[in-house]
Amino acid sequence: MPQLPAPAYPAEVRAGLEADAKEVIARYPDSRSALLPLLHLVQSEEGYVSRTGMAFCAELLGLTTAEVTAVATFYTMYRRRAGGDYQVGVCTNTLCAVMGGDAIFDRLKEHLGVGNDGPDMTTEDGKITLEHIECNAACDFAPVVMVNWEFFDNQTPESATRLVDDLIAGRTVEPTRGAPLCSYKETARILAGFPDERPGAVEASGGAGPASLIGLRLAKGEEPHPRVVAPRGSAPRGESGHAAVPQDPDHPAGPTAEEGE
């Protein structure tokens, strides 16, 4: 495959990237397995995966630029163009959308004066890139907004607007859970597998949020488990003590009805 017509990194930049890349590659028995973290590494240098970055990865891993491009364009966490210091992603997948994600995205798009795609996604001051994101496994906190992949749970159009205003103004913003917020480039370096050296950042990362742990606590018997379905062979009782609904022996979990009834 022909090489991409990409300019080379400046000598000093390349030397630093090579040293870091060799550290990453050494973690894997097969060098090509290091491609994903290497793409994060070059993204931490330029803020996106440029043609120069892809050529760099291909050279160090003995891959073609076509192979690297195929990976870089498949995963949405790799930018293909320069973006803002803060990537604000609004989940618009099913549950978040129903809970208000679409309304949040529309409000932020209007408030920031940005579009849906391409360079129009980034504010003129280069502070914020706004995008739709797919499910981030935080449905119990819907609707969710992420800034540089840190969670901001249970958002509303008003709270999300305050959030981006604070980011633009340079005010301190604290995620709902997880590590303190850092820049997009700093986030990319952490995703490449390098330690977060900010004091207290690792300890602040924590685990799952309280809403995600309810099921685990119920399973361990740490909270009362309200019965949703009556035991087989008995009819569910209403508050008056009388049977709340007739039970169908063919459907002991509950009554059946025609659609719409």
Side-chain angles (χ1 to χ4, degrees):
M1 295 290 293
Q3 291 186 347
L4 288 173
Y9 282 122
E12 182 178 345
V13 172
R14 182 181 174 93
L17 285 174
E18 274 197 35
D20 288 338
K22 288 177 181 177
E23 181 180 336
V24 172
I25 294 169
R27 303 171 189 161
Y28 300 91
D30 186 342
S31 64
R32 70 182 295 146
S33 299
L35 178 55
L36 294 180
L38 282 194
L39 288 170
H40 283 300
L41 177 63
V42 297
Q43 187 159 252
S44 74
E45 177 62 36
E46 299 182 83
Y48 70 108
V49 179
S50 65
R51 293 178 296 124
T52 300
M54 287 189 282
F56 173 82
C57 292
E59 179 185 341
L60 263 64
L61 299 177
L63 302 174
T64 65
T65 52
E67 289 173 311
V68 175
T69 302
V71 173
T73 56
F74 180 82
Y75 293 103
T76 57
M77 290 181 76
Y78 301 121
R79 288 178 175 174
R80 295 300 314 283
R81 58 176 63 87
D85 296 330
Y86 299 102
Q87 183 160 307
V88 176
V90 181
C91 181
T92 53
N93 216 316
T94 307
L95 184 56
C96 278
V98 170
M99 297 294 290
D102 285 338
I104 291 172
F105 186 83
D106 290 342
R107 171 74 68 85
L108 292 184
K109 188 170 65 171
E110 179 181 0
H111 183 70
L112 296 171
V114 297
N116 281 342
D117 195 17
D120 291 341
M121 297 166 61
T122 301
T123 55
E124 292 184 0
D125 59 8
K127 290 283 188 180
I128 291 179
T129 295
L130 178 68
E131 68 168 1
H132 290 277
I133 52 176
E134 292 301 322
C135 183
N136 278 276
C139 302
D140 38 4
F141 296 98
V144 172
V145 172
M146 300 194 81
V147 180
N148 294 349
W149 308 113
E150 297 295 347
F151 286 102
F152 290 81
D153 303 320
N154 302 311
Q155 293 294 295
T156 65
E158 292 73 25
S159 66
T161 301
R162 289 194 299 271
L163 170 61
V164 297
D165 284 346
D166 287 342
L167 292 172
I168 291 172
R171 291 187 282 268
T172 300
V173 172
E174 296 290 341
T176 308
R177 51 199 165 95
L181 201 61
C182 59
S183 73
Y184 187 83
K185 290 183 180 181
E186 291 169 328
T187 302
R189 184 170 177 83
I190 295 169
L191 292 173
F194 292 92
D196 188 343
E197 298 178 348
R198 295 174 296 160
V202 175
E203 292 77 8
S205 296
S212 302
L213 298 175
I214 290 176
L216 178 62
R217 291 200 299 270
L218 289 174
K220 289 181 175 181
E222 296 175 3
E223 292 190 3
H225 189 177
R227 180 170 292 280
V228 178
V229 178
R232 290 179 181 272
S234 65
R237 314 298 296 182
E239 292 183 0
S240 64
H242 299 292
V245 289
Q247 191 168 19
D248 184 341
D250 293 328
H251 299 83
T256 58
E258 295 296 329
E259 183 177 357
E261 293 187 12

